[in-house]
Amino acid sequence: MRTLPFPRPRLRAAAVALTAPALLGGCDWVVMNPSGDVARQQANLILWSTGLMLLIIVPVIALTVLFAWKYRHTNEEAEYAPDWDHSTGLELIIWSAPLLIIIALGALTWISTHALDPYRPLARIAAGRPLAKTDKPLEIQVVSLDWKWLFIYPEQGVATVNELVLPMNRQVRFRITSSSVMNTFYVPAMAGMIYSMPGMETRLHAVLNRPGRFNGMSANYSGAGFSDMTFTVDSMDDAAFAKWASEARTAQKRLDLPTYLQLEKPSEKVPASRYVAVQPQLFDRIVGMCTKPGETCMQATMMKDGAQDPHRDSGHGAPVNDSGHMRGSESKGALQKAPEEKGSSPHRNAPRPTAPGSSRPGNADNRSMTSIDPLPAILAGRAAARS
């Protein structure tokens, strides 16, 4: 029986290594092959950053292998210089190359950070297609619920759950918030992920340049139903989008406050649905955390706090909520109390008069270096005994 030159396990491992690229060729790397210009620029940023870093990584790995081979123990022809310890030329190469790459990465990061700021309106629809200043973006209000997504279209007067429909090649301004815990709004084919947080509003400007159906998700764990907190994203031309909006306005369900409060309750694997007659300023009330009857919106609370503070020029007060009916009592926070409403506890941080020793050397008060006044009995007794 003939013996194989390589053991069978090694042959299997080599076969897997050779076929792996072919198997991976069928994968759809949506992050690196997106359908929106913002995501395309982000993918290019990843490629440029990786390429710049490989300028150091590849030579270092190659030189490591080269040195290990050249100066191996059995190579008697390799130069042996045990007293060598310095080379000016080598030092210049070692330090200048990484420094130049860091400068290039820093410049690339700085430019991209400002150009791809999610709060910044888009300057272009695609490469070579600048966006006119007169082009009005489509506004969509996004609310992450437990465990589903609510999309409100103010211009169209409709709302959807777990269904996001966008017109192709039109800038979209997303206003994003959450009803309970923090989530992330993420459509890999369109743009990077943006956090949604209760009581706060974040924004994203993006565009889709290709028609088709894409996937959206939450990329931040938020509880038991997180795995099914996904939604579909359909990109279509303007005519198809107008037709979809017209069909959505024929929905039977209305999104008023009672309906929203039912929708807000935790639920899993929620199918896509549509609503009409959206409650006016519903999104602002969700941000202000005042969707339930009798609740005061945070915006109104801050306006009241600012109006009561004579040291503030703007209408925004300190982030302190002292509304009694929201907290279940009529108590006020210490930051909102007038001086005469506070207790008589000594104010330890108040300015103190000049120490008597500065004008009366030898005065008995100079013996007390503590901020406690009067001294506790045990300390006062010891101070009197020493004097």
Side-chain angles (χ1 to χ4, degrees):
M1 182 178 180
R2 189 180 63 168
T3 304
L4 294 175
F6 298 100
R8 291 184 182 274
R10 291 188 179 182
L11 289 175
R12 285 195 292 267
V16 171
L18 291 174
T19 57
L23 295 175
L24 293 175
C27 297
D28 182 14
W29 290 9
V30 63
V31 174
M32 303 308 298
N33 185 31
S35 300
D37 184 62
V38 175
R40 178 70 269 167
Q41 295 181 67
Q42 293 173 339
N44 292 338
L45 178 61
I46 294 174
L47 293 175
W48 276 105
S49 301
T50 303
L52 287 171
M53 289 184 288
L54 287 176
L55 291 178
I56 287 293
I57 295 173
V58 172
V60 168
I61 294 176
L63 289 173
T64 300
V65 175
L66 176 63
F67 289 170
W69 174 256
K70 182 176 180 180
Y71 296 104
R72 66 191 186 277
H73 179 68
T74 58
N75 186 9
E76 298 180 354
E77 297 180 359
E79 181 183 359
Y80 179 65
D83 298 327
W84 181 89
D85 62 357
H86 180 73
S87 172
T88 302
L90 187 60
E91 290 283 348
L92 288 175
I93 295 174
I94 290 175
W95 289 105
S96 61
L99 180 61
L100 292 175
I101 291 175
I102 290 174
I103 292 174
L105 281 173
L108 181 65
T109 302
W110 190 90
I111 295 172
S112 301
T113 299
H114 289 274
L116 299 176
D117 182 359
Y119 283 73
R120 182 178 184 175
L122 300 182
R124 70 182 201 184
I125 291 296
R129 297 180 57 185
L131 182 66
K133 294 183 178 180
T134 56
D135 290 347
K136 181 182 178 182
L138 172 66
E139 179 176 307
I140 299 180
Q141 299 164 351
V142 183
V143 184
S144 60
L145 307 170
D146 291 336
W147 287 276
K148 48 199 169 286
W149 291 91
L150 172 64
F151 303 101
I152 303 174
Y153 294 75
E155 184 179 337
Q156 287 71 30
V158 298
T160 63
V161 172
N162 288 343
E163 180 188 18
L164 179 60
V165 180
L166 303 176
M168 186 174 56
N169 292 325
R170 181 179 176 184
Q171 178 183 199
V172 183
R173 178 174 62 226
F174 295 96
R175 299 174 60 192
I176 307 169
T177 190
S178 175
S179 67
S180 55
V181 300
M182 183 166 62
N183 276 286
T184 52
F185 173 72
Y186 187 31
V187 182
M190 181 176 64
M193 65 181 70
I194 301 295
Y195 280 100
S196 64
M197 294 168 281
M200 300 180 64
E201 176 186 339
T202 53
R203 294 195 178 187
L204 170 66
H205 292 80
V207 63
L208 279 173
N209 304 112
R210 301 177 190 170
R213 170 161 289 189
F214 310 99
N215 295 322
M217 68 193 77
S218 171
N220 190 76
Y221 181 74
S222 58
F226 163 76
S227 300
D228 297 303
M229 196 173 172
T230 59
F231 57 94
T232 59
V233 183
D234 291 315
S235 174
M236 55 188 66
D237 58 33
D238 291 341
F241 178 76
K243 180 180 178 181
W244 171 85
S246 178
E247 294 175 353
R249 282 190 285 267
T250 63
Q252 301 297 320
K253 293 182 284 189
R254 302 166 60 90
L255 188 58
D256 50 18
L257 280 179
T259 303
Y260 171 77
L261 292 177
Q262 290 296 322
L263 186 64
E264 188 182 40
K265 295 179 179 179
S267 56
E268 302 180 31
K269 300 181 181 179
V270 179
S273 57
R274 300 172 182 175
Y275 299 84
V276 294
V278 180
Q279 177 78 27
Q281 298 183 337
L282 175 61
F283 181 80
D284 294 331
R285 298 190 66 168
I286 296 172
V287 174
M289 305 179 72
C290 55
T291 55
K292 296 179 181 178
E295 289 183 332
T296 301
C297 295
M298 290 196 305
Q299 299 94 323
T301 301
M302 290 189 290
M303 289 289 289
K304 185 190 73 170
D305 293 343
Q308 292 177 349
D309 190 343
H311 301 290
R312 287 183 175 270
D313 296 328
S314 66
H316 298 284
V320 177
N321 188 352
D322 67 329
S323 300
H325 67 278
M326 288 189 66
R327 298 295 181 180
S329 67
E330 296 298 329
S331 61
K332 297 177 69 175
L335 294 179
Q336 299 297 323
K337 288 184 179 180
E340 60 270 13
E341 295 180 294
K342 298 180 182 179
S344 58
S345 176
H347 184 18
R348 298 300 180 190
N349 295 328
R352 292 181 175 274
T354 305
S358 60
S359 58
R360 293 178 290 162
N363 189 283
D365 292 337
N366 295 332
R367 294 182 176 273
S368 176
M369 305 303 293
T370 179
S371 64
I372 304 177
D373 189 19
L375 286 172
I378 184 171
L379 296 179
R382 292 179 180 176
R386 286 197 297 269
S387 61

